[in-house]
Amino acid sequence: MATHNIKHALFSAIITLIISAPILGLDLESAGTELKLTGASTSTLVSIVLAAIVVFLFQTFRDSIMGALGQMPKLNRFADREPMPQEKRLKLENIFLIVLVAGALLWPFIASRGSVDLATLVLIYVMLALGLNVVVGLAGLLDLGYVAFYAVGAYTFALLSQYFGVSFWVALPTGALIAALFGFLLGFPVLRLRGDYLAIVTLGFGEIIRILLNNWTSLTGGPNGIGGIPDPTLFGMEFGRRVKEEGNISFHDFFGIAYDSTHKIIFLYLIALVLALVTFLIIRRLMKMPVGRSWEALREDEIAARSLGLSRTGVKLSAFTIGAFFAGFAGTVFASKQGFISPESFVFLESAIILAIVVLGGMGSQFGVILAAVAVTVLPELAREFSEYRMLIFGAAMVLMMVWRPQGLMPMRRIHIILKKQE
Amino acid sequence: MLLLEDIHTHYGKIEALHGVSVEVKKGEIVSLIGANGAGKTTLLMTVCGSPQATSGRVVLEGRDITRDKTSDIMRSGIAIVPEGRRVFPGLTVEENLHMGGFFNTKAEIRKSQQHVYGLFPRLKEREHQRAGTMSGGEQQMLAIGRALMTKPRMIILDEPSLGLAPLIIKQIFEIIGHLREEGITVFLVEQNAHQALHLADRGYVLENGLIRLQDTGANLLANPDVQNAYLGG
């Protein structure tokens, strides 16, 4: 064992002590109107020291431990296998997609009300992540303010319904189009930017939208948000117990069945499912079209792409606009699902989570992104007991993923274009 | 074919080209040689409109393109093989070529693809390999092939010999000579002065943003100043 290792381990252990001792080892107690600083219990102090020792041991034997872990991926027998031929893979993907959709269709009729509601949220995240995947995964433009377009979609619906009584079905395309317009507008100032600079500008944009919504009280209600957003209707049939609008009839009256509040939840779920599927299919189509290839070319090498006559402006704007469009879609569904929105739903953390989904899933890979969206949304719900440590676990999971599988859960397999050979 | 008249180009406040005039006639190979930092790449980029010249004119086939957008220039019958090859590493050889034919019809792509495979049989062998995994020479061939996919009447090559083995350089220059026979005008920018002038009909020597010398390739090769400065005495 090299002294270098021990030195490094000692350093790490001291850092652990420095970080954890003041945070865990000191307690603030309120004594009357004042705060008193007291030492923590002995068991806490012992565990801090133990943690430092563990860090020290791990760092000392780091090479051999990591080496042993390096052998682990053998558990994953699929890791090293030859990639299967493209045709077979596409066929398998289609079968997988059909099974997935069939399962998702059956889901609301077997699962509980709560889990259907959660599944709707998952589908909203799937839409968001698929949209962001276009911008980040395909075009390679790091967007940290994606939640802004989500907010634009949600607020478009909320405002239109509040001021003009517009229904969900009209607001859905409108919200998406207005979000796309915002994407287009944001595209212009950031055309010249790349990498870090682009990330900072988009981050700022996300904050601007949120702060605007928060402060434009006369229009958006500020932090109070907007409530009473209508539920979607099915050909004019409402899902409430009583009909809200003149001339409409309710779903349960029409079919002569008893009123059940789960009808609405299932209906919303099915809408989200259809929209997520539409998003998936449209983007998959786009990926095979010239515009999809131009995104990839720009991501791979901007100078080369420009040398072939591709317009940087057009390619970047199209990626931003299309990404924003699907965020607007998701926003409208979200507003309808919640019935109430406020700027608090559109904080930076949301952008970060959507980006995390894309990175976890494997940039550019649609199935990977769907898988990651499910994982990131469902796991915190399952681990409710640890809800205080949610972000801690989330962060740790990200670090582990980047160490073991930096390319994501299901790395993107590019669809190679093959022209039909000349006879 | 291509005419540059008294071009001045700035990067911010710094002037990189101080009034350069170059002419490339149809069917010629013209070489531009110069040391590092002389402004060779700047000159090429000015032709492509990125950055645009602050004064002077760039005329392509009788049409003033000085103020045109890069994307329009690159679609008007001129192609550039950028310095350092710049193939799309994650795309296969075939896909790289198809990106070159982005604005052409499928039938045209198929035809030019066959043509490129004819020029570079090696690319045909590597058709479905990712470009990033190929050797430098192969990538250079791919970069030239990709530029040819745009069906250019004129091709600009920026240091095609950069970092390649002498044998590969020889092959690349043979191909460049072959392009001339096909009627493609070639504007070649090189540090490898010997090879470049040997092949060229005419040559220019660029120094500190100014054209110092211009003559036929053979005359420049024989010129004692050029020999001293660029051919190692």
Side-chain angles (χ1 to χ4, degrees):
Chain A
M1 206 55 52
T3 46
H4 166 79
N5 258 4
I6 293 182
K7 223 192 254 174
H8 178 75
L10 208 59
F11 182 71
S12 307
I14 291 171
I15 293 282
T16 313
L17 277 181
I18 292 176
I19 292 175
S20 53
I23 297 178
L24 299 170
L26 295 173
D27 274 345
L28 281 176
E29 277 173 30
S30 51
T33 52
E34 285 171 20
L35 282 173
K36 245 174 50 189
L37 201 60
T38 54
S41 63
T42 338
S43 62
T44 318
L45 294 176
V46 169
S47 48
I48 290 173
V49 173
L50 275 179
I53 292 172
V54 168
V55 167
F56 177 78
L57 288 178
F58 175 74
Q59 292 296 343
T60 319
F61 301 106
R62 187 192 157 125
D63 292 344
S64 34
I65 293 173
M66 291 312 269
L69 284 176
Q71 308 295 317
M72 291 278 278
K74 289 285 179 285
L75 286 177
N76 182 357
R77 278 172 293 120
F78 299 109
D80 301 324
R81 89 198 143 144
E82 283 280 299
M84 58 178 99
Q86 174 159 304
E87 273 172 51
K88 200 175 152 202
R89 182 163 58 83
L90 287 181
K91 216 177 264 172
L92 260 180
E93 271 187 13
N94 279 335
I95 293 170
F96 182 63
L97 183 67
I98 290 168
V99 170
L100 199 69
V101 171
L105 274 175
L106 282 176
W107 174 252
F109 303 104
I110 48 173
S112 70
R113 184 191 153 122
S115 44
V116 175
D117 209 33
L118 176 63
T120 313
L121 194 67
V122 170
L123 287 169
I124 290 174
Y125 274 101
V126 167
M127 270 186 260
L128 285 170
L130 285 174
L132 186 62
N133 194 24
V134 170
V135 185
V136 179
L138 294 177
L141 307 164
L142 184 53
D143 185 348
L144 292 182
Y146 191 64
V147 77
F149 307 121
Y150 183 38
V152 167
Y155 265 88
T156 303
F157 180 28
L159 292 172
L160 282 179
S161 79
Q162 196 179 32
Y163 292 101
F164 303 105
V166 165
S167 77
F168 174 78
W169 295 110
V170 179
L172 183 66
T174 321
L177 284 175
I178 293 200
L181 180 71
F182 270 76
F184 187 72
L185 291 178
L186 173 67
F188 273 106
V190 303
L191 279 176
R192 296 166 166 280
L193 305 176
R194 239 181 298 175
D196 319 1
Y197 305 102
L198 178 71
I200 292 167
V201 172
T202 51
L203 176 68
F205 179 75
E207 285 300 285
I208 288 172
I209 293 283
R210 187 180 62 82
I211 292 169
L212 188 75
L213 293 173
N214 222 343
N215 289 290
W216 197 350
T217 323
S218 57
L219 182 74
T220 65
N224 295 332
I226 300 176
I229 301 166
D231 301 322
T233 53
L234 177 65
F235 301 115
M237 287 182 277
E238 289 188 9
F239 283 85
R241 187 183 288 277
R242 278 184 205 82
V243 175
K244 284 181 189 151
E245 223 172 304
E246 281 296 309
N248 279 359
I249 51 166
S250 59
F251 179 76
H252 59 101
D253 277 345
F254 185 84
F255 287 101
I257 46 175
Y259 169 74
D260 189 343
S261 60
T262 50
H263 288 162
K264 185 187 103 182
I265 291 176
I266 292 176
F267 182 55
L268 255 170
Y269 169 81
L270 292 177
I271 289 178
L273 180 62
V274 169
L275 289 178
L277 188 65
V278 166
T279 308
F280 177 86
L281 292 176
I282 290 179
I283 292 177
R284 190 167 75 159
R285 185 86 200 108
L286 285 174
M287 280 163 75
K288 291 183 198 161
M289 280 166 52
V291 62
R293 285 191 287 135
S294 66
W295 289 335
E296 289 196 66
L298 195 77
R299 177 195 65 200
E300 297 258 309
D301 196 318
E302 184 168 325
I303 290 180
R306 293 180 69 204
S307 84
L308 299 172
L310 293 176
S311 145
R312 181 171 58 174
T313 320
V315 178
K316 280 193 181 175
L317 280 182
S318 63
F320 261 111
T321 311
I322 288 170
F325 181 87
F326 291 111
F329 245 33
T332 319
V333 178
F334 177 73
S336 187
K337 170 184 176 294
Q338 299 296 86
F340 165 81
I341 52 167
S342 75
E344 226 161 271
S345 308
F346 307 107
V347 290
F348 169 67
L349 186 63
E350 288 291 315
S351 287
I353 287 179
I354 304 165
L355 185 64
I357 291 174
V358 173
V359 175
L360 272 179
M363 296 220 270
S365 148
Q366 287 198 294
F367 281 109
V369 161
I370 292 174
L371 192 67
V374 175
V376 168
T377 334
V378 172
L379 288 183
E381 295 293 327
L382 293 180
R384 275 220 170 265
E385 305 91 274
F386 308 112
S387 59
E388 287 169 51
Y389 302 105
R390 235 173 88 172
M391 292 324 283
L392 189 70
I393 295 171
F394 189 55
M398 282 301 273
V399 171
L400 288 181
M401 273 298 294
M402 289 304 108
V403 170
W404 273 303
R405 223 173 145 69
Q407 70 276 53
L409 289 172
M410 287 174 82
M412 181 187 190
R413 286 275 164 70
R414 300 198 49 268
I415 298 168
H416 299 315
I417 37 158
I418 294 170
L419 274 189
K420 286 204 186 77
K421 295 279 175 285
Q422 250 174 330
E423 304 305 322
Chain B
M1 183 91 190
L2 179 71
L3 186 68
L4 286 89
E5 283 178 358
D6 193 28
I7 293 287
H8 293 257
T9 301
H10 289 76
Y11 288 115
K13 278 183 185 158
I14 299 161
E15 190 174 76
L17 297 177
H18 317 287
V20 174
S21 299
V22 169
E23 188 183 6
V24 183
K25 297 201 187 85
K26 196 165 167 50
E28 273 186 326
I29 294 182
V30 172
S31 290
L32 179 76
I33 59 171
N36 278 333
K40 303 186 300 289
T41 299
T42 306
L43 184 67
L44 294 190
M45 297 309 278
T46 307
V47 172
C48 300
S50 167
Q52 290 188 344
T54 31
S55 66
R57 289 199 322 146
V58 183
V59 181
L60 180 68
E61 295 179 315
R63 199 165 58 82
D64 189 336
I65 58 166
T66 322
R67 296 280 166 257
D68 283 8
K69 277 191 295 185
T70 302
S71 52
D72 292 336
I73 296 171
M74 300 322 297
R75 287 182 221 170
S76 57
I78 190 168
I80 185 165
V81 180
E83 186 176 359
R85 309 187 267 275
R86 294 198 169 267
V87 294
F88 301 116
L91 272 57
T92 63
V93 168
E94 191 177 31
E95 286 169 330
N96 264 282
L97 291 178
H98 284 206
M99 283 310 302
F102 196 82
F103 297 99
N104 298 343
T105 64
K106 278 209 170 143
E108 284 175 321
I109 291 177
R110 208 168 290 157
K111 226 176 107 197
S112 4
Q113 194 179 347
Q114 292 310 319
H115 176 222
V116 169
Y117 285 156
L119 283 177
F120 302 104
R122 178 62 71 84
L123 292 184
K124 172 79 183 161
E125 291 165 28
R126 306 267 154 140
E127 197 169 8
H128 298 299
Q129 191 174 331
R130 278 165 28 121
T133 62
M134 299 198 305
S135 75
E138 289 163 342
Q139 289 189 17
Q140 186 64 58
M141 293 176 190
L142 179 57
I144 296 174
R146 188 179 61 186
L148 289 175
M149 292 293 290
T150 64
K151 307 220 298 178
R153 293 182 291 282
M154 173 169 181
I155 189 166
I156 300 178
L157 298 130
D158 195 355
E159 305 228 12
S161 72
L162 191 73
L164 298 182
L167 202 66
I168 307 285
I169 295 179
K170 195 163 157 267
Q171 276 181 27
I172 299 271
F173 276 93
E174 272 167 20
I175 293 288
I176 295 171
H178 187 76
L179 293 180
R180 168 170 53 185
E181 285 159 30
E182 288 184 4
I184 299 175
T185 312
V186 178
F187 188 27
L188 180 63
V189 171
E190 262 297 343
Q191 286 205 43
N192 190 335
H194 185 78
Q195 295 261 20
L197 291 176
H198 204 73
L199 187 68
D201 298 303
R202 290 186 305 114
Y204 290 85
V205 178
L206 189 68
E207 261 178 42
N208 297 325
L210 280 170
I211 296 289
R212 287 282 173 224
L213 282 170
Q214 63 179 87
D215 210 328
T216 62
N219 282 354
L220 281 177
L221 269 179
N223 184 314
D225 289 343
V226 174
Q227 285 188 343
N228 267 331
Y230 299 103
L231 301 171

Coordinates of all heavy atoms in Angstrom, one line a residue, chain A residues 64-102:
Chain A
S64 N -8.2 -1.9 -4.3 CA -8.6 -3.3 -4.3 C -10.1 -3.4 -4.3 O -10.7 -4.3 -4.9 CB -7.9 -4.1 -3.2 OG -7.8 -3.2 -2.1
I65 N -10.8 -2.5 -3.5 CA -12.2 -2.5 -3.5 C -12.8 -2.2 -4.8 O -13.7 -3.0 -5.3 CB -12.8 -1.6 -2.4 CG1 -12.3 -2.0 -1.0 CG2 -14.3 -1.5 -2.5 CD1 -12.7 -1.0 0.1
M66 N -12.4 -1.2 -5.4 CA -12.9 -0.8 -6.7 C -12.6 -1.8 -7.8 O -13.4 -2.1 -8.7 CB -12.4 0.6 -7.2 CG -12.8 1.8 -6.3 SD -14.6 1.8 -6.1 CE -15.1 2.8 -7.5
G67 N -11.4 -2.4 -7.6 CA -11.0 -3.5 -8.5 C -12.0 -4.7 -8.4 O -12.5 -5.2 -9.5
A68 N -12.3 -5.0 -7.2 CA -13.3 -6.1 -7.0 C -14.6 -5.8 -7.6 O -15.3 -6.6 -8.2 CB -13.4 -6.4 -5.5
L69 N -15.0 -4.5 -7.4 CA -16.3 -4.1 -7.9 C -16.3 -4.1 -9.4 O -17.3 -4.3 -10.1 CB -16.7 -2.7 -7.4 CG -17.2 -2.6 -5.9 CD1 -17.4 -1.2 -5.5 CD2 -18.4 -3.4 -5.8
G70 N -15.1 -3.8 -9.9 CA -15.0 -3.8 -11.4 C -15.3 -5.1 -12.0 O -15.8 -5.2 -13.1
Q71 N -15.1 -6.2 -11.2 CA -15.4 -7.5 -11.7 C -17.0 -7.7 -11.7 O -17.5 -8.6 -12.4 CB -14.8 -8.6 -10.9 CG -13.3 -8.4 -10.7 CD -12.6 -8.6 -12.0 OE1 -12.9 -9.4 -12.8 NE2 -11.6 -7.7 -12.2
M72 N -17.6 -6.9 -10.9 CA -19.1 -7.1 -10.7 C -19.9 -7.1 -11.9 O -20.8 -7.9 -12.1 CB -19.6 -6.1 -9.7 CG -19.1 -6.2 -8.3 SD -20.0 -7.5 -7.4 CE -21.5 -6.5 -6.9
P73 N -19.7 -6.1 -12.8 CA -20.6 -6.0 -14.0 C -20.8 -7.4 -14.7 O -21.7 -7.5 -15.5 CB -20.0 -5.0 -14.9 CG -19.2 -4.1 -13.9 CD -18.7 -5.1 -12.8
K74 N -20.0 -8.4 -14.4 CA -20.2 -9.7 -14.9 C -21.6 -10.2 -14.6 O -22.1 -11.1 -15.2 CB -19.1 -10.7 -14.4 CG -17.7 -10.4 -15.0 CD -17.6 -10.9 -16.4 CE -16.3 -10.6 -17.0 NZ -16.1 -9.2 -17.3
L75 N -22.1 -9.7 -13.4 CA -23.5 -10.0 -13.1 C -24.4 -9.7 -14.2 O -25.4 -10.4 -14.4 CB -23.9 -9.2 -11.8 CG -23.3 -9.6 -10.5 CD1 -23.7 -8.6 -9.4 CD2 -23.7 -11.0 -10.1
N76 N -24.1 -8.6 -14.9 CA -24.9 -8.2 -16.0 C -24.4 -8.9 -17.3 O -23.5 -8.5 -17.9 CB -24.9 -6.7 -16.2 CG -25.8 -6.2 -17.3 OD1 -26.4 -7.0 -18.0 ND2 -25.8 -4.9 -17.4
R77 N -25.0 -10.1 -17.6 CA -24.5 -10.9 -18.6 C -24.7 -10.2 -20.0 O -24.1 -10.6 -21.0 CB -25.2 -12.2 -18.6 CG -24.6 -13.2 -17.6 CD -25.4 -14.5 -17.5 NE -26.7 -14.2 -16.9 CZ -27.9 -14.4 -17.5 NH1 -27.9 -14.9 -18.7 NH2 -29.0 -14.1 -16.9
F78 N -25.6 -9.2 -20.0 CA -25.9 -8.6 -21.3 C -24.8 -7.5 -21.7 O -24.8 -7.0 -22.8 CB -27.3 -8.0 -21.3 CG -28.3 -9.0 -21.1 CD1 -29.0 -9.1 -19.9 CD2 -28.6 -10.0 -22.1 CE1 -30.0 -10.0 -19.7 CE2 -29.6 -10.9 -21.9 CZ -30.3 -10.9 -20.7
A79 N -24.0 -7.2 -20.6 CA -23.2 -6.0 -20.8 C -22.2 -6.1 -22.0 O -22.0 -5.2 -22.8 CB -22.4 -5.8 -19.6
D80 N -21.6 -7.3 -22.2 CA -20.6 -7.5 -23.2 C -21.1 -8.1 -24.5 O -20.3 -8.4 -25.4 CB -19.4 -8.3 -22.6 CG -18.9 -7.7 -21.4 OD1 -18.8 -6.4 -21.4 OD2 -18.5 -8.4 -20.5
R81 N -22.4 -8.4 -24.5 CA -22.8 -9.2 -25.7 C -22.7 -8.3 -26.9 O -22.8 -7.1 -26.9 CB -24.1 -9.8 -25.5 CG -25.2 -8.9 -25.9 CD -26.5 -9.2 -25.4 NE -27.0 -7.8 -25.2 CZ -28.3 -7.5 -25.3 NH1 -29.2 -8.4 -25.6 NH2 -28.7 -6.3 -25.1
E82 N -22.7 -8.9 -28.1 CA -22.6 -8.2 -29.3 C -24.0 -7.5 -29.5 O -25.0 -8.0 -29.2 CB -22.5 -9.2 -30.5 CG -21.1 -9.8 -30.7 CD -20.3 -8.8 -31.4 OE1 -20.6 -8.5 -32.6 OE2 -19.3 -8.4 -30.9
P83 N -23.9 -6.3 -30.0 CA -25.2 -5.6 -30.3 C -25.9 -6.4 -31.4 O -25.3 -6.9 -32.3 CB -24.8 -4.2 -30.8 CG -23.3 -4.3 -31.1 CD -22.8 -5.5 -30.3
M84 N -27.2 -6.6 -31.2 CA -28.0 -7.4 -32.1 C -28.2 -6.6 -33.4 O -28.2 -5.4 -33.4 CB -29.3 -7.9 -31.6 CG -30.2 -6.8 -31.1 SD -31.7 -7.6 -30.5 CE -31.5 -7.6 -28.7
P85 N -28.4 -7.3 -34.5 CA -28.6 -6.6 -35.7 C -29.8 -5.6 -35.6 O -30.7 -5.8 -34.9 CB -28.9 -7.7 -36.8 CG -28.8 -9.0 -36.0 CD -28.5 -8.7 -34.6
Q86 N -29.6 -4.5 -36.4 CA -30.6 -3.4 -36.3 C -32.0 -3.8 -36.5 O -32.9 -3.5 -35.7 CB -30.2 -2.4 -37.3 CG -31.2 -1.2 -37.3 CD -30.5 0.0 -37.9 OE1 -29.5 0.5 -37.4 NE2 -31.1 0.5 -38.9
E87 N -32.3 -4.6 -37.6 CA -33.6 -5.0 -37.9 C -34.3 -5.7 -36.7 O -35.4 -5.5 -36.4 CB -33.7 -5.9 -39.1 CG -33.7 -5.1 -40.4 CD -33.6 -6.0 -41.6 OE1 -34.3 -7.0 -41.7 OE2 -32.7 -5.7 -42.4
K88 N -33.5 -6.7 -36.2 CA -34.1 -7.5 -35.1 C -34.3 -6.6 -33.9 O -35.4 -6.8 -33.2 CB -33.0 -8.6 -34.7 CG -33.6 -9.7 -34.0 CD -32.5 -10.8 -33.7 CE -32.8 -11.6 -32.5 NZ -31.6 -12.2 -31.9
R89 N -33.4 -5.7 -33.6 CA -33.6 -4.8 -32.5 C -34.8 -3.9 -32.7 O -35.6 -3.8 -31.7 CB -32.3 -3.9 -32.4 CG -32.4 -3.0 -31.2 CD -31.0 -2.5 -30.9 NE -30.4 -1.8 -32.0 CZ -30.6 -0.5 -32.3 NH1 -31.4 0.2 -31.5 NH2 -30.1 0.0 -33.4
L90 N -35.0 -3.4 -33.8 CA -36.2 -2.5 -34.1 C -37.5 -3.3 -33.9 O -38.4 -2.8 -33.3 CB -36.1 -1.9 -35.5 CG -35.1 -0.8 -35.7 CD1 -35.2 -0.3 -37.1 CD2 -35.3 0.3 -34.7
K91 N -37.4 -4.6 -34.3 CA -38.6 -5.4 -34.2 C -38.9 -5.6 -32.7 O -40.0 -5.5 -32.2 CB -38.4 -6.7 -34.9 CG -39.7 -7.3 -35.6 CD -39.4 -8.6 -36.3 CE -39.1 -8.3 -37.8 NZ -38.6 -9.5 -38.5
L92 N -37.8 -6.0 -32.0 CA -38.0 -6.2 -30.5 C -38.5 -5.0 -29.8 O -39.3 -5.0 -29.0 CB -36.6 -6.6 -30.0 CG -36.4 -8.1 -29.7 CD1 -35.0 -8.3 -29.1 CD2 -37.4 -8.6 -28.7
E93 N -38.0 -3.8 -30.2 CA -38.4 -2.6 -29.6 C -39.9 -2.3 -29.8 O -40.6 -1.9 -28.9 CB -37.6 -1.4 -30.3 CG -36.3 -1.1 -29.5 CD -35.7 0.2 -30.1 OE1 -36.3 1.0 -30.8 OE2 -34.5 0.4 -29.7
N94 N -40.3 -2.7 -31.0 CA -41.8 -2.5 -31.3 C -42.6 -3.4 -30.5 O -43.6 -3.0 -29.9 CB -42.0 -2.7 -32.8 CG -41.7 -1.5 -33.6 OD1 -41.7 -0.4 -33.1 ND2 -41.4 -1.7 -34.9
I95 N -42.2 -4.6 -30.3 CA -42.9 -5.6 -29.5 C -43.0 -5.1 -28.1 O -44.0 -5.0 -27.4 CB -42.3 -7.0 -29.6 CG1 -42.5 -7.5 -31.0 CG2 -42.9 -7.9 -28.6 CD1 -41.7 -8.8 -31.3
F96 N -41.8 -4.7 -27.6 CA -41.7 -4.1 -26.3 C -42.6 -3.0 -26.0 O -43.3 -2.9 -25.0 CB -40.2 -3.7 -26.0 CG -40.0 -3.2 -24.6 CD1 -40.1 -4.1 -23.5 CD2 -39.6 -1.9 -24.4 CE1 -39.9 -3.6 -22.3 CE2 -39.3 -1.5 -23.1 CZ -39.5 -2.3 -22.1
L97 N -42.7 -2.1 -27.0 CA -43.5 -0.9 -26.9 C -45.0 -1.3 -26.9 O -45.8 -0.8 -26.0 CB -43.3 0.0 -28.2 CG -44.1 1.3 -28.2 CD1 -43.6 2.2 -27.1 CD2 -43.9 2.0 -29.5
I98 N -45.4 -2.3 -27.7 CA -46.8 -2.7 -27.7 C -47.2 -3.3 -26.3 O -48.2 -3.0 -25.8 CB -47.0 -3.7 -28.8 CG1 -46.9 -3.0 -30.2 CG2 -48.4 -4.4 -28.7 CD1 -46.9 -3.8 -31.4
V99 N -46.2 -4.2 -25.8 CA -46.5 -4.8 -24.5 C -46.6 -3.7 -23.4 O -47.5 -3.7 -22.6 CB -45.4 -5.8 -24.2 CG1 -45.5 -6.2 -22.7 CG2 -45.4 -6.9 -25.1
L100 N -45.7 -2.7 -23.5 CA -45.7 -1.6 -22.6 C -47.0 -0.9 -22.6 O -47.7 -0.6 -21.6 CB -44.6 -0.7 -22.9 CG -44.1 0.2 -21.8 CD1 -43.4 -0.6 -20.7 CD2 -43.1 1.3 -22.4
V101 N -47.5 -0.5 -23.8 CA -48.7 0.2 -23.9 C -49.9 -0.6 -23.5 O -50.8 -0.1 -22.8 CB -48.9 0.7 -25.4 CG1 -50.3 1.3 -25.6 CG2 -47.8 1.7 -25.7
A102 N -49.9 -1.9 -23.8 CA -51.0 -2.7 -23.4 C -51.1 -2.8 -21.9 O -52.2 -2.7 -21.3 CB -50.8 -4.1 -24.0

